[in-house]
Amino acid sequence: MVTIFTPVYNRAYIIQNLYESLKRQKDKCFEWIIVDEGSTDNLFEMVETWKKETRAFPIRYYYTENGGKHRAINLGVKMASYDAFFIVDSDDYLTDNAVELIHEWWQGIKDKEEYAGVSG
Protein backbone atom coordinates (compact mmCIF):
# COMPACT_ATOMS: atom_id res chain seq x y z
CA MET A 1 0.00 0.00 0.00
CA VAL A 2 1.00 3.62 -0.41
CA THR A 3 0.26 6.86 1.40
CA ILE A 4 -0.60 9.72 -0.93
CA PHE A 5 0.03 12.97 0.91
CA THR A 6 -1.20 16.45 0.06
CA PRO A 7 -0.24 19.57 2.01
CA VAL A 8 -2.75 22.34 1.40
CA TYR A 9 -3.52 25.97 2.18
CA ASN A 10 -6.61 27.65 0.68
CA ARG A 11 -6.68 25.36 -2.35
CA ALA A 12 -10.33 24.32 -2.38
CA TYR A 13 -10.65 25.90 -5.82
CA ILE A 14 -8.17 23.46 -7.41
CA ILE A 15 -7.89 20.26 -5.33
CA GLN A 16 -11.01 18.71 -6.92
CA ASN A 17 -8.87 17.72 -9.94
CA LEU A 18 -6.58 15.68 -7.70
CA TYR A 19 -9.52 14.05 -5.94
CA GLU A 20 -11.10 13.06 -9.26
CA SER A 21 -7.80 11.54 -10.42
CA LEU A 22 -7.58 9.51 -7.20
CA LYS A 23 -11.08 8.16 -7.79
CA ARG A 24 -9.98 7.03 -11.27
CA GLN A 25 -7.03 5.00 -10.00
CA LYS A 26 -7.09 1.41 -11.23
CA ASP A 27 -5.25 0.31 -8.06
CA LYS A 28 -7.13 1.54 -4.99
CA CYS A 29 -4.58 0.26 -2.44
CA PHE A 30 -3.72 3.65 -0.97
CA GLU A 31 -4.72 6.14 1.67
CA TRP A 32 -4.94 9.89 1.09
CA ILE A 33 -3.73 12.16 3.86
CA ILE A 34 -4.46 15.88 3.61
CA VAL A 35 -2.76 18.29 6.00
CA ASP A 36 -4.56 21.63 5.90
CA GLU A 37 -2.34 24.44 7.11
CA GLY A 38 -4.94 26.92 8.30
CA SER A 39 -7.15 27.28 5.24
CA THR A 40 -10.02 29.75 5.45
CA ASP A 41 -11.85 28.46 2.37
CA ASN A 42 -14.35 25.59 2.27
CA LEU A 43 -11.79 22.77 2.01
CA PHE A 44 -12.91 21.04 5.21
CA GLU A 45 -16.50 20.80 3.94
CA MET A 46 -15.32 19.44 0.59
CA VAL A 47 -13.22 16.75 2.24
CA GLU A 48 -16.08 15.74 4.54
CA THR A 49 -18.30 15.29 1.47
CA TRP A 50 -15.62 13.21 -0.27
CA LYS A 51 -15.19 11.01 2.79
CA LYS A 52 -18.92 10.23 2.73
CA GLU A 53 -19.13 9.53 -1.00
CA THR A 54 -15.87 7.59 -1.44
CA ARG A 55 -15.35 4.19 0.14
CA ALA A 56 -12.71 2.95 -2.31
CA PHE A 57 -9.84 4.50 -0.33
CA PRO A 58 -9.56 6.16 3.08
CA ILE A 59 -9.21 9.93 3.30
CA ARG A 60 -7.60 11.36 6.41
CA TYR A 61 -7.76 15.10 7.03
CA TYR A 62 -5.82 17.05 9.64
CA TYR A 63 -6.09 20.80 10.30
CA THR A 64 -3.19 22.72 11.82
CA GLU A 65 -1.87 26.27 11.93
CA ASN A 66 0.24 27.38 9.00
CA GLY A 67 3.86 26.40 9.57
CA GLY A 68 5.14 25.80 6.06
CA LYS A 69 5.12 22.88 3.67
CA HIS A 70 8.13 21.23 5.33
CA ARG A 71 6.28 21.03 8.66
CA ALA A 72 3.17 19.67 6.95
CA ILE A 73 5.26 16.95 5.28
CA ASN A 74 6.84 15.98 8.61
CA LEU A 75 3.36 15.68 10.12
CA GLY A 76 2.15 13.64 7.15
CA VAL A 77 5.04 11.21 7.49
CA LYS A 78 4.13 10.68 11.15
CA MET A 79 0.49 10.07 10.22
CA ALA A 80 1.26 7.72 7.32
CA SER A 81 0.23 4.10 7.63
CA TYR A 82 2.58 2.87 4.89
CA ASP A 83 6.29 3.06 4.09
CA ALA A 84 5.71 4.24 0.52
CA PHE A 85 4.97 7.98 0.92
CA PHE A 86 4.04 9.90 -2.22
CA ILE A 87 3.66 13.70 -2.08
CA VAL A 88 1.13 15.08 -4.55
CA ASP A 89 0.45 18.80 -4.36
CA SER A 90 -3.07 20.18 -4.45
CA ASP A 91 -2.72 21.59 -7.97
CA ASP A 92 -1.50 18.27 -9.41
CA TYR A 93 -3.35 15.16 -10.52
CA LEU A 94 -2.35 11.58 -11.27
CA THR A 95 -2.58 9.42 -14.36
CA ASP A 96 -5.08 6.60 -13.95
CA ASN A 97 -2.30 4.03 -13.43
CA ALA A 98 -0.04 6.06 -11.11
CA VAL A 99 -0.69 4.03 -7.94
CA GLU A 100 -0.25 0.80 -9.89
CA LEU A 101 3.16 2.00 -11.14
CA ILE A 102 4.22 3.12 -7.66
CA HIS A 103 3.40 -0.32 -6.30
CA GLU A 104 5.44 -1.97 -9.07
CA TRP A 105 8.46 0.29 -8.43
CA TRP A 106 8.15 -0.10 -4.66
CA GLN A 107 8.15 -3.90 -4.88
CA GLY A 108 11.42 -3.71 -6.79
CA ILE A 109 13.29 -1.57 -4.25
CA LYS A 110 11.60 -1.82 -0.84
CA ASP A 111 14.10 -4.34 0.56
CA LYS A 112 17.22 -2.84 -1.00
CA GLU A 113 19.37 -0.95 1.49
CA GLU A 114 20.97 1.24 -1.18
CA TYR A 115 17.68 3.14 -1.59
CA ALA A 116 16.73 5.84 0.90
CA GLY A 117 13.97 7.26 -1.26
CA VAL A 118 12.76 7.81 -4.79
CA SER A 119 11.67 11.07 -6.38
CA GLY A 120 10.28 11.78 -9.78
Side-chain angles (χ1 to χ4, degrees):
M1 299 253 318
V2 64
T3 296
I4 296 175
F5 171 73
T6 304
V8 64
Y9 177 74
N10 284 340
R11 304 292 276 185
Y13 72 95
I14 192 78
I15 197 171
Q16 181 80 31
N17 294 331
L18 173 55
Y19 170 64
E20 294 297 331
S21 76
L22 294 175
K23 290 193 323 184
R24 288 192 307 270
Q25 291 304 300
K26 294 175 183 169
D27 185 337
K28 300 280 198 286
C29 292
F30 65 90
E31 67 177 346
W32 187 23
I33 296 176
I34 302 165
V35 171
D36 183 344
E37 288 219 289
S39 294
T40 57
D41 56 13
N42 66 329
L43 181 65
F44 173 78
E45 291 82 6
M46 289 174 67
V47 172
E48 288 301 307
T49 298
W50 298 340
K51 286 165 76 172
K52 291 175 186 168
E53 76 180 23
T54 303
R55 299 285 182 230
F57 56 90
I59 301 172
R60 296 169 53 202
Y61 173 90
Y62 184 81
Y63 184 90
T64 186
E65 292 182 17
N66 193 320
K69 184 176 181 178
H70 61 285
R71 191 181 82 167
I73 292 169
N74 289 338
L75 181 58
V77 167
K78 289 178 186 175
M79 296 174 64
S81 300
Y82 308 106
D83 290 336
F85 187 81
F86 184 42
I87 302 169
V88 184
D89 287 334
S90 57
D91 60 347
D92 291 330
Y93 61 90
L94 301 178
T95 60
D96 294 353
N97 66 338
V99 171
E100 180 180 24
L101 291 173
I102 291 166
H103 281 135
E104 287 176 19
W105 295 329
W106 181 247
Q107 291 305 311
I109 66 167
K110 70 178 182 176
D111 296 323
K112 295 182 179 180
E113 292 182 11
E114 62 265 27
Y115 289 95
V118 177
S119 179

mmCIF file of all heavy atoms in Angstrom, residues 45-60:
data_model
loop_
_atom_site.group_PDB
_atom_site.id
_atom_site.type_symbol
_atom_site.label_atom_id
_atom_site.label_comp_id
_atom_site.label_asym_id
_atom_site.label_seq_id
_atom_site.Cartn_x
_atom_site.Cartn_y
_atom_site.Cartn_z
ATOM 1 N N GLU A 45 -15.185 21.276 4.361
ATOM 2 C CA GLU A 45 -16.502 20.797 3.939
ATOM 3 C C GLU A 45 -16.396 19.902 2.709
ATOM 4 O O GLU A 45 -17.088 18.889 2.604
ATOM 5 C CB GLU A 45 -17.451 21.979 3.659
ATOM 6 C CG GLU A 45 -17.851 22.746 4.891
ATOM 7 C CD GLU A 45 -16.826 23.784 5.353
ATOM 8 O OE1 GLU A 45 -15.801 24.006 4.644
ATOM 9 O OE2 GLU A 45 -17.028 24.360 6.429
ATOM 10 N N MET A 46 -15.518 20.267 1.784
ATOM 11 C CA MET A 46 -15.321 19.443 0.592
ATOM 12 C C MET A 46 -14.811 18.057 0.985
ATOM 13 O O MET A 46 -15.331 17.047 0.508
ATOM 14 C CB MET A 46 -14.309 20.106 -0.354
ATOM 15 C CG MET A 46 -14.814 21.341 -1.048
ATOM 16 S SD MET A 46 -13.519 22.155 -2.017
ATOM 17 C CE MET A 46 -13.216 20.948 -3.288
ATOM 18 N N VAL A 47 -13.808 18.027 1.844
ATOM 19 C CA VAL A 47 -13.216 16.745 2.243
ATOM 20 C C VAL A 47 -14.235 15.891 2.979
ATOM 21 O O VAL A 47 -14.322 14.679 2.757
ATOM 22 C CB VAL A 47 -11.950 16.967 3.101
ATOM 23 C CG1 VAL A 47 -11.444 15.654 3.674
ATOM 24 C CG2 VAL A 47 -10.855 17.643 2.275
ATOM 25 N N GLU A 48 -15.048 16.503 3.829
ATOM 26 C CA GLU A 48 -16.082 15.744 4.538
ATOM 27 C C GLU A 48 -17.065 15.113 3.553
ATOM 28 O O GLU A 48 -17.481 13.968 3.737
ATOM 29 C CB GLU A 48 -16.812 16.635 5.551
ATOM 30 C CG GLU A 48 -15.965 16.977 6.758
ATOM 31 C CD GLU A 48 -15.502 15.746 7.525
ATOM 32 O OE1 GLU A 48 -16.342 14.916 7.898
ATOM 33 O OE2 GLU A 48 -14.267 15.607 7.720
ATOM 34 N N THR A 49 -17.418 15.829 2.511
ATOM 35 C CA THR A 49 -18.299 15.289 1.474
ATOM 36 C C THR A 49 -17.624 14.123 0.764
ATOM 37 O O THR A 49 -18.235 13.073 0.539
ATOM 38 C CB THR A 49 -18.673 16.386 0.460
ATOM 39 O OG1 THR A 49 -19.379 17.422 1.140
ATOM 40 C CG2 THR A 49 -19.544 15.829 -0.661
ATOM 41 N N TRP A 50 -16.366 14.279 0.408
ATOM 42 C CA TRP A 50 -15.624 13.207 -0.269
ATOM 43 C C TRP A 50 -15.539 11.970 0.604
ATOM 44 O O TRP A 50 -15.673 10.853 0.112
ATOM 45 C CB TRP A 50 -14.227 13.662 -0.637
ATOM 46 C CG TRP A 50 -14.162 14.799 -1.597
ATOM 47 C CD1 TRP A 50 -15.149 15.223 -2.453
ATOM 48 C CD2 TRP A 50 -13.068 15.675 -1.809
ATOM 49 N NE1 TRP A 50 -14.732 16.295 -3.175
ATOM 50 C CE2 TRP A 50 -13.445 16.601 -2.801
ATOM 51 C CE3 TRP A 50 -11.797 15.777 -1.255
ATOM 52 C CZ2 TRP A 50 -12.593 17.607 -3.250
ATOM 53 C CZ3 TRP A 50 -10.948 16.774 -1.704
ATOM 54 C CH2 TRP A 50 -11.347 17.673 -2.692
ATOM 55 N N LYS A 51 -15.307 12.157 1.887
ATOM 56 C CA LYS A 51 -15.194 11.009 2.794
ATOM 57 C C LYS A 51 -16.493 10.210 2.841
ATOM 58 O O LYS A 51 -16.473 8.990 2.965
ATOM 59 C CB LYS A 51 -14.813 11.491 4.195
ATOM 60 C CG LYS A 51 -13.362 11.932 4.292
ATOM 61 C CD LYS A 51 -13.059 12.731 5.528
ATOM 62 C CE LYS A 51 -12.965 11.901 6.756
ATOM 63 N NZ LYS A 51 -12.485 12.693 7.929
ATOM 64 N N LYS A 52 -17.623 10.903 2.718
ATOM 65 C CA LYS A 52 -18.925 10.227 2.734
ATOM 66 C C LYS A 52 -19.219 9.525 1.411
ATOM 67 O O LYS A 52 -19.852 8.473 1.396
ATOM 68 C CB LYS A 52 -20.031 11.230 3.043
ATOM 69 C CG LYS A 52 -19.990 11.736 4.465
ATOM 70 C CD LYS A 52 -21.018 12.811 4.698
ATOM 71 C CE LYS A 52 -20.852 13.393 6.090
ATOM 72 N NZ LYS A 52 -21.624 14.624 6.264
ATOM 73 N N GLU A 53 -18.785 10.096 0.309
ATOM 74 C CA GLU A 53 -19.126 9.532 -1.002
ATOM 75 C C GLU A 53 -18.125 8.505 -1.500
ATOM 76 O O GLU A 53 -18.433 7.749 -2.413
ATOM 77 C CB GLU A 53 -19.309 10.650 -2.038
ATOM 78 C CG GLU A 53 -18.022 11.252 -2.542
ATOM 79 C CD GLU A 53 -18.230 12.364 -3.566
ATOM 80 O OE1 GLU A 53 -19.305 12.983 -3.590
ATOM 81 O OE2 GLU A 53 -17.295 12.617 -4.332
ATOM 82 N N THR A 54 -16.928 8.466 -0.942
ATOM 83 C CA THR A 54 -15.874 7.591 -1.441
ATOM 84 C C THR A 54 -15.507 6.547 -0.402
ATOM 85 O O THR A 54 -15.028 6.881 0.668
ATOM 86 C CB THR A 54 -14.618 8.415 -1.807
ATOM 87 O OG1 THR A 54 -14.984 9.405 -2.754
ATOM 88 C CG2 THR A 54 -13.540 7.534 -2.378
ATOM 89 N N ARG A 55 -15.721 5.300 -0.740
ATOM 90 C CA ARG A 55 -15.348 4.194 0.140
ATOM 91 C C ARG A 55 -14.186 3.382 -0.436
ATOM 92 O O ARG A 55 -13.703 2.467 0.193
ATOM 93 C CB ARG A 55 -16.549 3.266 0.374
ATOM 94 C CG ARG A 55 -17.713 3.949 1.043
ATOM 95 C CD ARG A 55 -17.420 4.159 2.506
ATOM 96 N NE ARG A 55 -18.572 4.774 3.156
ATOM 97 C CZ ARG A 55 -18.490 5.838 3.923
ATOM 98 N NH1 ARG A 55 -17.339 6.398 4.152
ATOM 99 N NH2 ARG A 55 -19.565 6.342 4.477
ATOM 100 N N ALA A 56 -13.744 3.720 -1.636
ATOM 101 C CA ALA A 56 -12.708 2.946 -2.312
ATOM 102 C C ALA A 56 -11.336 3.109 -1.660
ATOM 103 O O ALA A 56 -10.500 2.223 -1.748
ATOM 104 C CB ALA A 56 -12.623 3.352 -3.783
ATOM 105 N N PHE A 57 -11.104 4.237 -1.012
ATOM 106 C CA PHE A 57 -9.840 4.495 -0.327
ATOM 107 C C PHE A 57 -10.121 5.433 0.845
ATOM 108 O O PHE A 57 -11.002 6.276 0.775
ATOM 109 C CB PHE A 57 -8.791 5.089 -1.283
ATOM 110 C CG PHE A 57 -9.236 6.346 -1.981
ATOM 111 C CD1 PHE A 57 -8.999 7.599 -1.422
ATOM 112 C CD2 PHE A 57 -9.880 6.281 -3.206
ATOM 113 C CE1 PHE A 57 -9.410 8.757 -2.069
ATOM 114 C CE2 PHE A 57 -10.301 7.428 -3.859
ATOM 115 C CZ PHE A 57 -10.064 8.680 -3.297
ATOM 116 N N PRO A 58 -9.354 5.278 1.934
ATOM 117 C CA PRO A 58 -9.565 6.156 3.081
ATOM 118 C C PRO A 58 -8.980 7.550 2.837
ATOM 119 O O PRO A 58 -7.922 7.690 2.212
ATOM 120 C CB PRO A 58 -8.844 5.448 4.223
ATOM 121 C CG PRO A 58 -7.850 4.562 3.573
ATOM 122 C CD PRO A 58 -8.391 4.212 2.220
ATOM 123 N N ILE A 59 -9.687 8.550 3.345
ATOM 124 C CA ILE A 59 -9.214 9.933 3.297
ATOM 125 C C ILE A 59 -9.062 10.397 4.738
ATOM 126 O O ILE A 59 -10.015 10.326 5.522
ATOM 127 C CB ILE A 59 -10.215 10.850 2.561
ATOM 128 C CG1 ILE A 59 -10.439 10.361 1.126
ATOM 129 C CG2 ILE A 59 -9.718 12.303 2.588
ATOM 130 C CD1 ILE A 59 -11.551 11.090 0.392
ATOM 131 N N ARG A 60 -7.868 10.853 5.059
ATOM 132 C CA ARG A 60 -7.603 11.363 6.409
ATOM 133 C C ARG A 60 -7.248 12.832 6.294
ATOM 134 O O ARG A 60 -6.378 13.206 5.512
ATOM 135 C CB ARG A 60 -6.479 10.566 7.058
ATOM 136 C CG ARG A 60 -6.905 9.109 7.258
ATOM 137 C CD ARG A 60 -5.791 8.193 7.652
ATOM 138 N NE ARG A 60 -5.067 8.674 8.818
ATOM 139 C CZ ARG A 60 -3.819 8.302 9.103
ATOM 140 N NH1 ARG A 60 -3.181 7.466 8.317
ATOM 141 N NH2 ARG A 60 -3.221 8.752 10.176
#
